[in-house]
Amino acid sequence: MVTGERIAEILEGYDDLVMATVCSHSSLQIFHGARQEGFRTLGIAIGQQPKFYDAFPRARPDDFLIVDAYEDLPRHAEELVDMGAVAVPHGSFVEYLGAKAFVDLEVPTFGNRRVIGWESDRDKQRYWLSQAGVDMPAKIDNPDAIDHPVFVKYYGAKGGRGAFIAKNYDDFLEHVDKSQPYIIQEYVVGTRYYLHFFYSPLGKEGYRLSKGTLEVLGVDRRDESNIDEMYKLGSQEGLKKLGVYPTFVVTGNIPVVLRESLLPKAMEMGEKVVEASLDLFGGMIGPFCLETIVTDQLQFKVFEISSRIVAGTNLFVAGSPYSELVEPGMSTGRRIARELRRAEETGTLLKVVS
Amino acid sequence: MVTGERIAEILEGYDDLVMATVCSHSSLQIFHGARQEGFRTLGIAIGQQPKFYDAFPRARPDDFLIVDAYEDLPRHAEELVDMGAVAVPHGSFVEYLGAKAFVDLEVPTFGNRRVIGWESDRDKQRYWLSQAGVDMPAKIDNPDAIDHPVFVKYYGAKGGRGAFIAKNYDDFLEHVDKSQPYIIQEYVVGTRYYLHFFYSPLGKEGYRLSKGTLEVLGVDRRDESNIDEMYKLGSQEGLKKLGVYPTFVVTGNIPVVLRESLLPKAMEMGEKVVEASLDLFGGMIGPFCLETIVTDQLQFKVFEISSRIVAGTNLFVAGSPYSELVEPGMSTGRRIARELRRAEETGTLLKVVS
Amino acid sequence: MVTGERIAEILEGYDDLVMATVCSHSSLQIFHGARQEGFRTLGIAIGQQPKFYDAFPRARPDDFLIVDAYEDLPRHAEELVDMGAVAVPHGSFVEYLGAKAFVDLEVPTFGNRRVIGWESDRDKQRYWLSQAGVDMPAKIDNPDAIDHPVFVKYYGAKGGRGAFIAKNYDDFLEHVDKSQPYIIQEYVVGTRYYLHFFYSPLGKEGYRLSKGTLEVLGVDRRDESNIDEMYKLGSQEGLKKLGVYPTFVVTGNIPVVLRESLLPKAMEMGEKVVEASLDLFGGMIGPFCLETIVTDQLQFKVFEISSRIVAGTNLFVAGSPYSELVEPGMSTGRRIARELRRAEETGTLLKVVS
């Protein structure tokens, strides 16, 4: 991992910060937010400048860094530093580059890069969440003990690819790819809410934690192919005969609001997860997402945490029903830029960049 | 019930109105809207100040009234009156306090408190809607006559808790709790739309009724646990063996718009329901919600009415595709505050407060 | 079809343009957008002035043309021309009037009226899309070859009425109405996205095509009765016994955003469809919608194209997460008005009106 000293050294040489990210996932929102706060922007892309940004003039990056492959990115670190880049991580950025290469990247990065190790290993993530004291679906250690529906997923985000439901050990054996690390969780029946938080170590007013403040900027539901519409063809039992199995590949997002009586519980969960992160590894900085199921007993089960901006926030580039109550028009992308700006102005960049 | 004379007397002693509500349900929206129209706000909570408001600075109430239990609220009536409070009812407010205690509360209340009696008794509600001439799902009086799917629900809002589908008498017996009053309705297959109206007895321009005007401020769909996602695990028949039964507990909301050709019908339904309310009990003032199913014959079936702000409007704190066509940024919470302001300015508070 | 010369002649006599459309479908959005760009508006309605516009003061048309039946509209062409009307087509406008009568209507029309012939005939539409090189669900020519689920639908929009799923030839025979032309497509399992584009032949900056530019102004999902909620009652097999069959009548819309990595593909599809339209019939001008399914392999299948404003854009009268990145608050209705205004100002009306 790059040391804090090295990052401090690099930042000392910076004049104007440039917000840089990989051209996918939530890049439109990040570039748009950066520009709203007056930052220059840099898009990192493979092979050639992506044309689709031309359709979004208010989000088009000012410059591009074109690489042959994401694995080559570390070799462009100096170039990025010369440009004054602060890398803003998102799910695809980390996935394309790899968690290991990401934490070793010698470019200042928004947030605490130590979070990557705690998030990408599903056992460590579970330890973190259990330390925080939030409810989770039960973990099944022994596949041949499956006697109720379970959800099996692999390490890393991957946008849901490969995940599957198993109702018994035979189901499990039929679908599992044992060459990858996986986790087996109880399948909890309920409605899903993806809660978008922002933890600011610089915050002084608002929902206060032991250090800094916590905001909630939106809530969405993920839209998954083919599970979300397969019921239209008939029962799963019947579809199995047609060779159609449920899959969970994220293809988009739908905006939702939460029953207001669940909101205090949601804030408390966010609070506990941040406090645990401060204890365990110095804190998860900036945006994060608690991925939850709400049961008909109105209880949250957190089945995953994403410790950076997630794509569901793309719904809210012009604000959400929640961010409206904080500051009208505030997206998560813009909130990241705002945090960088505040850190710059108060000489506390090292609190939000690593 | 508190008399109109008593309320008039109280209001005469008021200087600046303070909009007060219970800290749940749609309170963020109500407080936010109140502040947008320049009112002070008061949150009523149990035990201690809820911390979650700190995360929403534009909706945080100016003051709090902390009570030991909602049942104690009547004993705080004088205190509320001393503060200049006008209580804004919402589903949780009425449920927590109880319909009887709510109508007896000696605090000026937005809207006509006589509506409570017509709404909380499902038979009277049905009479009102049938007087209005809107289509409803058929009512089944005799449980042993169930030969098609029916929906059984208890009196009061309760956020859907306890409601169930029965396909025959055995199903009914298995799930019913006969200790509570319930209603059995035909289960209508279609798509659900929750239509958010606002009836202003002060309105002069717009969609005119015999007295006042009618607006539509948004449409949403409720998100219910576990019914909305249980299909992902397989057929209901198979899930029954796993001990999973469909439940209908509201956990959130999704924004929708209605096919435009349905809009004239929707407005007519709203109009008829208000006109019937004027005839039956002097009118349902302010926000209300028609809870409907649209069949594939493009016909509305109204399965319920809520005669106050409902939580689906929380999606639209910054406006909806409908309110945009009335006044940009108009939420239902703000619309209530606007109505109070207009009434204050025109000396007609008793038309909208009871 | 009315000739370009005739339209040119009519337009020469125009002073101020009036944007006119039939009072349904997306008329609120069209009138609202027209007013935002400073145009007068005209609503065409049957029998009497529709009252529901009174509830939407910012979208109420300035004037009405009341006809006895839509078939009579051609006889009112002169009247429309005297008013300076430019007709803005939408799904109901074309359906009520009939494709043939629409293309013969001697009133200037926004867009290229030659597109109607290519869209309303499902075989020509398929030829156009295959020329464009976009993926489509397979077409089944022979009903007795149905051995996998297929989707059967009739020509013309009709808001989904009559469409059905068949899993075999018997299913097909049971539901088909052979008196109407129909098409049989493979039923693709995945999530549906309705992509709202705008092609401007006048555009110079942005996402450039061989001529003009392409924008994406929003994405939605259609809400269909009864298919979208019938699963709540149990399996289709069980429901069949109760006489409940899946139907696909559009009743509303839900906003969505697309996984960002799908956006470049979406833009390319839009680009190819426009380029093919330029080759085949001089171009599809203005708004259009690609109606797609995204499989769990993250591939789009285009099952239909609508070559004009569709009702899903009604969600975005105050802007969408996409249009926000183009120009805040830009709806499709307003974008049409903006295009007319630009054409007027640059003397290029004949590029966008026919």
Side-chain angles (χ1 to χ4, degrees):
Chain A
M1 193 177 311
V2 188
T3 63
E5 291 70 33
R6 177 74 191 114
I7 296 298
E9 195 182 62
I10 294 173
L11 286 174
E12 265 168 42
Y14 273 21
D15 202 16
D16 284 332
L17 297 191
V18 171
M19 284 177 65
T21 201
V22 161
C23 290
S24 189
H25 189 276
S26 48
S27 71
L28 286 165
Q29 185 195 162
I30 292 168
F31 295 138
H32 177 242
R35 291 171 64 149
Q36 287 177 303
E37 297 295 315
F39 286 106
R40 283 189 70 78
T41 52
L42 176 76
I44 302 166
I46 298 284
Q48 59 179 358
Q49 265 188 223
K51 183 176 177 185
F52 80 101
Y53 289 110
D54 293 352
F56 305 102
R58 288 163 46 90
R60 196 177 184 282
D62 296 305
D63 294 297
F64 287 94
L65 173 70
I66 307 301
V67 296
D68 291 333
Y70 287 118
E71 304 90 75
D72 294 344
L73 198 57
R75 282 188 277 138
H76 294 271
E78 215 176 297
E79 205 175 331
L80 285 162
V81 165
D82 287 346
M83 292 173 178
V86 171
V88 179
H90 54 55
S92 303
F93 197 158
V94 176
E95 190 191 332
Y96 295 166
L97 193 56
K100 175 80 179 66
F102 189 87
V103 298
D104 288 338
L105 191 68
E106 279 207 29
V107 177
T109 298
F110 182 77
N112 178 357
R113 62 176 84 198
R114 291 186 64 201
V115 76
I116 306 275
W118 283 87
E119 183 209 23
S120 57
D121 177 323
R122 291 204 184 268
D123 284 317
K124 288 182 81 171
Q125 182 181 131
R126 197 168 175 91
Y127 177 75
W128 169 16
L129 292 173
S130 64
Q131 285 299 101
V134 300
D135 265 0
M136 286 178 283
K139 188 185 165 204
I140 285 86
D141 291 311
N142 209 339
D144 60 15
I146 299 173
D147 61 353
H148 260 68
V150 297
F151 197 65
V152 185
K153 51 190 175 175
Y154 300 98
Y155 281 33
K158 297 192 176 64
R161 188 173 298 281
F164 64 94
I165 291 173
K167 294 187 185 168
N168 49 52
Y169 187 46
D170 286 346
D171 269 4
F172 173 80
L173 288 178
E174 190 179 337
H175 292 99
V176 75
D177 168 7
K178 290 192 174 176
S179 73
Q180 301 179 60
Y182 58 83
I183 193 169
I184 309 175
Q185 285 180 341
E186 162 199 17
Y187 188 92
V188 176
V189 181
T191 42
R192 287 164 306 139
Y193 293 91
Y194 295 76
L195 310 171
H196 307 298
F197 291 98
F198 192 95
Y199 165 60
S200 166
L202 311 178
K204 290 197 166 44
E205 285 178 18
Y207 191 98
R208 292 190 58 84
L209 308 190
S210 65
K211 297 172 188 170
T213 54
L214 184 65
E215 293 157 37
V216 60
L217 296 177
V219 185
D220 84 298
R221 158 106 15 98
R222 290 190 188 157
D223 201 20
E224 295 170 341
S225 182
N226 63 17
I227 187 67
D228 276 353
E229 300 200 42
M230 71 179 295
Y231 69 84
K232 295 183 176 179
L233 257 192
S235 67
Q236 284 192 19
E237 293 80 354
L239 289 173
K240 205 169 173 179
K241 290 177 205 149
L242 296 171
V244 180
Y245 295 90
T247 50
F248 299 86
V249 177
V250 182
T251 54
N253 304 269
I254 298 174
V256 294
V257 293
L258 208 56
R259 184 174 176 143
E260 193 172 296
S261 60
L262 292 169
L263 209 45
K265 295 184 202 181
M267 294 302 300
E268 280 162 33
M269 289 194 306
E271 177 169 359
K272 291 195 279 188
V273 167
V274 172
E275 295 293 358
S277 78
L278 288 164
D279 291 344
L280 292 171
F281 54 87
M284 167 179 54
I285 310 300
F288 66 98
C289 178
L290 292 184
E291 309 179 11
T292 72
I293 295 163
V294 177
T295 70
D296 57 12
Q297 302 304 308
L298 295 176
Q299 289 183 312
F300 281 103
K301 301 278 185 177
V302 179
F303 60 91
E304 198 160 329
I305 181 169
S306 294
S307 57
R308 69 190 65 77
I309 187 170
V310 297
T313 61
N314 291 339
L315 287 158
F316 307 120
V317 295
S320 79
Y322 296 99
S323 68
E324 175 72 14
L325 304 176
V326 181
E327 179 177 329
M330 182 56 69
S331 70
T332 296
R334 184 173 192 177
R335 187 63 189 80
I336 293 171
R338 175 72 60 86
E339 191 76 354
L340 275 172
R341 188 59 84 204
R342 278 191 195 155
E344 227 184 2
E345 289 171 355
T346 55
T348 52
L349 265 179
L350 286 172
K351 282 197 174 180
V352 301
V353 171
S354 71
Chain B
M1 194 177 310
V2 189
T3 63
E5 290 71 33
R6 176 73 190 115
I7 297 298
E9 193 181 61
I10 294 173
L11 286 173
E12 264 168 42
Y14 273 20
D15 202 16
D16 284 331
L17 297 190
V18 171
M19 284 177 66
T21 201
V22 161
C23 289
S24 189
H25 189 276
S26 48
S27 71
L28 286 166
Q29 185 195 164
I30 292 169
F31 294 138
H32 178 243
R35 290 172 63 149
Q36 287 176 304
E37 297 295 314
F39 285 106
R40 283 188 71 77
T41 52
L42 176 77
I44 301 165
I46 298 284
Q48 58 180 359
Q49 265 188 223
K51 183 176 176 185
F52 81 101
Y53 289 110
D54 292 352
F56 304 103
R58 288 162 46 91
R60 196 177 184 280
D62 296 303
D63 294 298
F64 286 95
L65 173 70
I66 307 301
V67 296
D68 291 331
Y70 288 119
E71 304 89 75
D72 294 344
L73 198 57
R75 282 187 277 139
H76 294 271
E78 214 176 298
E79 206 175 330
L80 286 162
V81 165
D82 287 346
M83 291 171 177
V86 172
V88 178
H90 54 56
S92 304
F93 197 159
V94 175
E95 190 192 332
Y96 295 166
L97 193 59
K100 174 81 178 66
F102 189 88
V103 299
D104 287 339
L105 191 68
E106 279 207 30
V107 177
T109 298
F110 182 77
N112 177 359
R113 61 177 84 199
R114 292 186 63 201
V115 75
I116 307 275
W118 284 86
E119 183 210 25
S120 57
D121 177 324
R122 291 204 184 269
D123 284 316
K124 288 182 80 171
Q125 183 180 131
R126 197 168 174 92
Y127 177 76
W128 170 14
L129 292 173
S130 64
Q131 286 298 101
V134 300
D135 266 359
M136 287 178 282
K139 188 185 165 205
I140 287 85
D141 290 312
N142 210 339
D144 60 16
I146 299 172
D147 61 353
H148 260 68
V150 297
F151 197 66
V152 185
K153 52 189 173 176
Y154 301 97
Y155 281 35
K158 297 190 178 63
R161 187 172 299 280
F164 64 94
I165 291 174
K167 294 187 184 168
N168 50 51
Y169 187 46
D170 286 345
D171 270 3
F172 173 80
L173 289 178
E174 191 179 337
H175 292 97
V176 75
D177 168 8
K178 292 192 173 176
S179 73
Q180 300 179 61
Y182 58 82
I183 192 169
I184 308 175
Q185 285 181 338
E186 163 198 16
Y187 188 92
V188 176
V189 182
T191 41
R192 286 164 306 139
Y193 294 92
Y194 294 77
L195 311 170
H196 307 299
F197 292 98
F198 193 95
Y199 165 59
S200 167
L202 311 178
K204 291 199 164 43
E205 285 178 18
Y207 192 98
R208 291 189 56 85
L209 308 190
S210 66
K211 296 173 187 167
T213 55
L214 185 65
E215 294 157 36
V216 61
L217 296 177
V219 185
D220 84 298
R221 158 106 15 98
R222 290 189 188 158
D223 201 19
E224 294 170 341
S225 181
N226 63 14
I227 188 66
D228 276 353
E229 302 201 42
M230 70 180 295
Y231 69 86
K232 295 184 176 178
L233 258 192
S235 67
Q236 283 193 18
E237 293 79 353
L239 288 173
K240 204 168 174 179
K241 289 177 205 149
L242 296 171
V244 180
Y245 296 89
T247 50
F248 299 85
V249 176
V250 182
T251 54
N253 304 270
I254 298 173
V256 294
V257 292
L258 209 56
R259 185 174 176 143
E260 192 172 297
S261 61
L262 292 168
L263 209 45
K265 294 184 202 178
M267 294 301 301
E268 280 162 33
M269 288 194 306
E271 177 169 359
K272 289 194 281 190
V273 167
V274 172
E275 296 292 358
S277 78
L278 288 164
D279 291 345
L280 291 172
F281 54 86
M284 167 179 54
I285 309 301
F288 65 96
C289 178
L290 292 184
E291 309 180 11
T292 71
I293 295 162
V294 176
T295 70
D296 58 12
Q297 302 304 308
L298 294 176
Q299 289 183 311
F300 282 103
K301 300 278 184 177
V302 179
F303 60 91
E304 199 160 330
I305 182 171
S306 292
S307 57
R308 69 189 68 78
I309 188 171
V310 297
T313 61
N314 290 340
L315 287 158
F316 308 121
V317 295
S320 79
Y322 296 99
S323 69
E324 176 72 15
L325 304 176
V326 181
E327 179 176 328
M330 182 55 71
S331 70
T332 296
R334 185 174 191 175
R335 187 63 189 82
I336 293 171
R338 174 73 59 85
E339 191 76 356
L340 275 173
R341 188 60 85 204
R342 277 194 196 153
E344 226 184 1
E345 289 170 356
T346 54
T348 53
L349 266 178
L350 286 171
K351 281 196 174 179
V352 301
V353 171
S354 72
Chain C
M1 195 178 310
V2 189
T3 63
E5 291 71 32
R6 178 72 191 113
I7 297 299
E9 192 181 63
I10 294 173
L11 286 173
E12 265 169 41
Y14 274 21
D15 202 16
D16 285 331
L17 297 191
V18 170
M19 285 177 65
T21 199
V22 160
C23 289
S24 190
H25 190 275
S26 48
S27 71
L28 285 165
Q29 185 194 163
I30 292 169
F31 295 138
H32 177 242
R35 290 171 64 150
Q36 287 176 303
E37 297 295 315
F39 286 106
R40 283 188 69 79
T41 52
L42 176 77
I44 302 166
I46 298 285
Q48 58 179 359
Q49 266 188 223
K51 183 177 176 184
F52 80 101
Y53 289 110
D54 292 352
F56 304 103
R58 288 163 46 91
R60 197 177 184 281
D62 296 304
D63 293 297
F64 287 94
L65 172 70
I66 307 302
V67 296
D68 291 332
Y70 287 118
E71 304 89 76
D72 294 344
L73 197 58
R75 282 186 278 137
H76 294 271
E78 214 177 297
E79 205 175 332
L80 285 162
V81 165
D82 287 346
M83 292 172 178
V86 171
V88 178
H90 54 56
S92 303
F93 197 159
V94 176
E95 190 192 332
Y96 295 164
L97 193 58
K100 175 83 180 63
F102 189 87
V103 299
D104 288 338
L105 191 68
E106 278 206 32
V107 178
T109 298
F110 182 77
N112 177 359
R113 62 177 84 199
R114 291 185 62 203
V115 75
I116 306 274
W118 283 86
E119 183 210 25
S120 58
D121 177 324
R122 291 204 184 268
D123 284 317
K124 289 183 79 170
Q125 182 181 130
R126 197 168 174 91
Y127 177 77
W128 170 16
L129 291 173
S130 63
Q131 286 298 102
V134 300
D135 264 2
M136 286 178 282
K139 188 185 166 204
I140 286 85
D141 290 313
N142 210 339
D144 60 16
I146 298 173
D147 61 354
H148 259 68
V150 297
F151 197 66
V152 185
K153 50 190 174 175
Y154 301 97
Y155 281 33
K158 297 193 177 64
R161 187 172 298 281
F164 64 93
I165 291 174
K167 294 187 187 170
N168 50 51
Y169 187 46
D170 285 346
D171 268 4
F172 173 80
L173 289 177
E174 191 179 336
H175 292 99
V176 74
D177 168 8
K178 292 192 174 174
S179 72
Q180 301 179 61
Y182 59 82
I183 192 170
I184 309 176
Q185 286 181 340
E186 163 198 17
Y187 188 91
V188 176
V189 181
T191 41
R192 287 164 305 138
Y193 294 92
Y194 294 77
L195 311 170
H196 307 298
F197 292 99
F198 192 95
Y199 165 60
S200 166
L202 310 178
K204 291 199 164 44
E205 286 178 17
Y207 191 99
R208 292 190 57 85
L209 308 189
S210 65
K211 297 174 187 166
T213 54
L214 184 65
E215 293 156 38
V216 60
L217 296 177
V219 186
D220 83 297
R221 158 107 17 97
R222 290 189 188 158
D223 199 21
E224 295 171 340
S225 181
N226 63 16
I227 187 66
D228 276 352
E229 301 200 42
M230 70 179 296
Y231 69 84
K232 295 184 175 178
L233 257 192
S235 67
Q236 283 192 19
E237 294 79 353
L239 289 173
K240 203 168 174 179
K241 290 177 205 149
L242 297 171
V244 180
Y245 297 91
T247 50
F248 300 85
V249 176
V250 182
T251 54
N253 304 269
I254 298 174
V256 293
V257 293
L258 209 55
R259 185 174 176 142
E260 193 172 297
S261 61
L262 292 168
L263 209 45
K265 296 185 201 178
M267 293 302 301
E268 280 162 32
M269 290 194 306
E271 177 169 1
K272 291 195 279 189
V273 167
V274 171
E275 295 293 358
S277 78
L278 288 163
D279 291 344
L280 291 172
F281 54 86
M284 166 179 55
I285 310 301
F288 66 97
C289 178
L290 292 184
E291 309 179 11
T292 72
I293 295 163
V294 176
T295 70
D296 57 13
Q297 302 304 308
L298 294 176
Q299 289 183 312
F300 282 103
K301 301 279 185 176
V302 179
F303 61 89
E304 197 160 331
I305 182 170
S306 292
S307 57
R308 68 189 69 76
I309 188 170
V310 297
T313 61
N314 291 339
L315 288 158
F316 308 120
V317 294
S320 80
Y322 296 99
S323 69
E324 175 72 15
L325 304 176
V326 182
E327 180 177 327
M330 182 55 71
S331 70
T332 296
R334 183 173 191 175
R335 187 63 190 82
I336 293 171
R338 175 72 60 86
E339 191 77 355
L340 275 173
R341 188 59 83 202
R342 279 192 194 154
E344 227 184 2
E345 289 171 357
T346 54
T348 52
L349 265 179
L350 286 172
K351 283 196 173 178
V352 301
V353 171
S354 72

